[in-house]
Amino acid sequence: MKRKRKSASISEDMHDSEKDLRSYPLLSEALEGCRLIEQKYLEVDEVAGAYQRRHKRIVAVAAIFGTLAIILAILQLTLSHLYLESGHENEISLWLMVSEGVSVLLAAGAVCWGTFAHVHHKWLDYRHRAERYRLLKFAALIKPAIPGVGHQEASAWKARLIAAMAEIARSSADDWAVEEDPHDRPPGINEIDVSQEGIRALIDYYLQKRLRIQKRYFGQQARRHDKSNSYTRLPAPIFFFVSVFFALLHVVIEGVTKLGHEGDAVQHQESIIAVVLIAAAAILPVCGGGIRTARAAFEFSRHTLRFRAKYNALSKLEESLELHRDKLAQLDSGEQADAALAEAIYGDLWMCELVLETEQREWLRLMIEAEWFA
């Protein structure tokens, strides 16, 4: 599901233009009613996008300047040895101390801002509401199915829609992430429209405005997160093993210096090299820790697997719905679909929504536990 607000995504799946209503006349009444959902979606999606951007900036500042502060502290100890007799020790130490203090303040300020302003929590809360509004729109078209032409039935359908929207507005991400209904079932034959025209219109609309958009989104996100994962997966362990190698070199050089009979100048040079090596051995794991903080905050690897799995699931359901549509095309004009075919079609539509709802819950659980301030 979409995590960031994009005008193109809204026009594709949450917004139904007058052209869409004319293209799907059998769904126009339901789509008109769903415009109430669109208004609420736009409100919370915009807020969720703002909190998401804020959260990313906070994580970036905390990871970069927190790492930089530790590196500067190590450099102070290192350079104090290198410039002990140069006369520039106080000047360099002062510059490093000020830089370290600024970095600490920026990193601590970012973490405090994110913690006390509940930026991470608010992002997830508004994001989950936006996605639930999206789920509600398509559930309203599937279960129960298209509202009847009768005024009383249409009014009851709209009342249920308004009640569901009110429940979403009160809900929290933490509660919804752990609430699943194991007894939820696809709509029964008495709840669905079995007319050939009605079912075909619903399949065409759903494929165009829901399934293919989400399938394309999951494919794009899988590639994007896989690229981010490949860039950030190897540096941390590489830094660790290189730092171990530098530490080993430091031990060797220190041993040679103490046991050897070189002159003072040579020993001084070897001592400087040893100091540089031990500094590098300390700095590299710190850099790796900064990278791991970003990985823990955004969970690139796990998101890649999730997005690929959902893409594959939606691809199979798309094939199934297209086969059902081909069977409907073989019926005579005005002929109703048999009960088994109608239930299979609505079962696939219901399964698509179940896959997307499950994905949203999985995403919430993963991001709720993500250690963005690690």
Side-chain angles (χ1 to χ4, degrees):
M1 292 186 177
K2 308 286 186 294
R3 307 295 176 222
K4 291 180 67 176
R5 179 174 182 257
K6 296 181 181 179
S7 58
S9 69
I10 295 171
S11 64
E12 285 180 314
D13 59 2
M14 287 305 292
H15 174 67
D16 295 301
S17 64
E18 294 299 325
K19 181 181 179 181
D20 292 325
L21 299 184
R22 291 193 299 269
S23 300
Y24 303 98
L26 296 177
L27 300 176
S28 59
E29 183 182 358
L31 297 179
E32 283 277 8
C34 288
R35 284 182 170 175
L36 295 173
I37 304 175
E38 178 189 347
Q39 296 171 6
K40 288 292 185 180
Y41 171 85
L42 291 176
E43 293 173 6
V44 297
D45 185 63
E46 185 174 2
V47 177
Y51 275 115
Q52 182 183 21
R53 291 187 292 272
R54 199 172 301 170
H55 172 69
K56 286 185 175 181
R57 287 194 293 268
I58 288 172
V59 171
V61 170
I64 293 173
F65 287 99
T67 302
L68 183 60
I70 300 174
I71 292 175
L72 290 171
I74 296 172
L75 288 177
Q76 286 185 68
L77 294 175
T78 304
L79 296 181
S80 65
H81 291 281
L82 297 180
Y83 290 93
L84 190 60
E85 300 175 357
S86 66
H88 298 289
E89 178 187 0
N90 293 335
E91 180 182 345
I92 294 174
S93 296
L94 180 61
W95 186 87
L96 290 175
M97 188 181 304
V98 171
S99 299
E100 179 189 355
V102 172
S103 298
V104 169
L105 289 176
L106 288 172
V111 173
C112 291
W113 178 25
T115 302
F116 293 106
H118 304 288
V119 173
H120 182 252
H121 180 77
K122 289 179 180 177
W123 165 42
L124 298 184
D125 255 354
Y126 282 101
R127 183 75 265 151
H128 114 275
R129 288 172 191 161
E131 296 306 328
R132 286 192 65 188
Y133 285 131
R134 197 195 302 270
L135 288 167
L136 177 61
K137 172 188 175 179
F138 291 95
L141 299 176
I142 299 172
K143 183 184 180 181
I146 308 166
V149 296
H151 175 73
Q152 185 175 0
E153 186 176 0
S155 298
W157 179 84
K158 184 172 287 188
R160 290 194 296 270
L161 206 61
I162 293 173
M165 291 167 58
E167 191 276 327
I168 291 173
R170 295 190 301 267
S171 66
S172 71
D174 297 86
D175 293 337
W176 191 71
V178 297
E179 292 177 0
E180 286 194 67
D181 185 3
H183 303 293
D184 193 18
R185 296 289 186 272
I189 190 64
N190 61 323
E191 298 180 272
I192 63 180
D193 182 358
V194 295
S195 68
Q196 178 196 161
E197 294 80 5
I199 297 180
R200 287 187 65 181
L202 183 57
I203 291 177
D204 289 341
Y205 179 86
Y206 192 86
L207 286 173
Q208 176 189 347
K209 303 280 284 187
R210 179 62 159 163
L211 194 151
R212 287 169 182 161
I213 292 173
Q214 293 299 317
K215 176 186 168 185
R216 182 171 67 248
Y217 169 78
F218 287 131
Q220 293 171 346
Q221 291 298 304
R223 290 189 294 271
R224 184 173 71 86
H225 281 79
D226 185 49
K227 185 180 295 185
S228 299
N229 179 53
S230 64
Y231 289 156
T232 60
R233 180 170 57 89
L234 292 178
I238 289 175
F239 287 167
F240 172 76
F241 288 112
V242 172
S243 69
V244 172
F245 176 71
F246 284 165
L248 178 61
L249 284 181
H250 166 261
V251 171
V252 172
I253 291 175
E254 284 289 336
V256 170
T257 301
K258 294 184 181 300
L259 297 177
H261 301 285
E262 296 89 347
D264 293 340
V266 175
Q267 289 186 358
H268 180 68
Q269 184 177 4
E270 290 178 347
S271 178
I272 291 176
I273 294 174
V275 170
V276 171
L277 287 174
I278 200 63
I283 288 174
L284 286 175
V286 174
C287 295
I291 294 174
R292 289 186 182 278
T293 296
R295 287 178 59 83
F298 299 113
E299 297 286 3
F300 299 128
S301 178
R302 295 180 184 179
H303 282 321
T304 300
L305 296 176
R306 287 179 46 258
F307 287 135
R308 284 178 178 169
K310 301 310 175 186
Y311 177 88
N312 293 333
L314 293 183
S315 296
K316 294 177 182 178
L317 288 166
E318 180 185 20
E319 293 176 3
S320 180
L321 285 172
E322 288 176 343
L323 289 175
H324 291 322
R325 186 175 58 182
D326 293 340
K327 291 180 182 179
L328 287 173
Q330 298 173 5
L331 300 177
D332 296 331
S333 178
E335 183 181 355
Q336 287 192 340
D338 64 81
L341 178 58
E343 286 189 298
I345 292 171
Y346 276 90
D348 281 350
L349 294 171
W350 173 85
M351 183 58 68
C352 286
E353 289 305 299
L354 181 62
V355 167
L356 294 171
E357 180 179 334
T358 302
E359 187 278 334
Q360 177 62 15
R361 292 186 195 272
E362 290 174 356
W363 179 81
L364 272 179
R365 291 163 187 154
L366 185 59
M367 298 311 296
I368 287 172
E369 294 299 319
E371 298 180 354
W372 64 269
F373 52 85

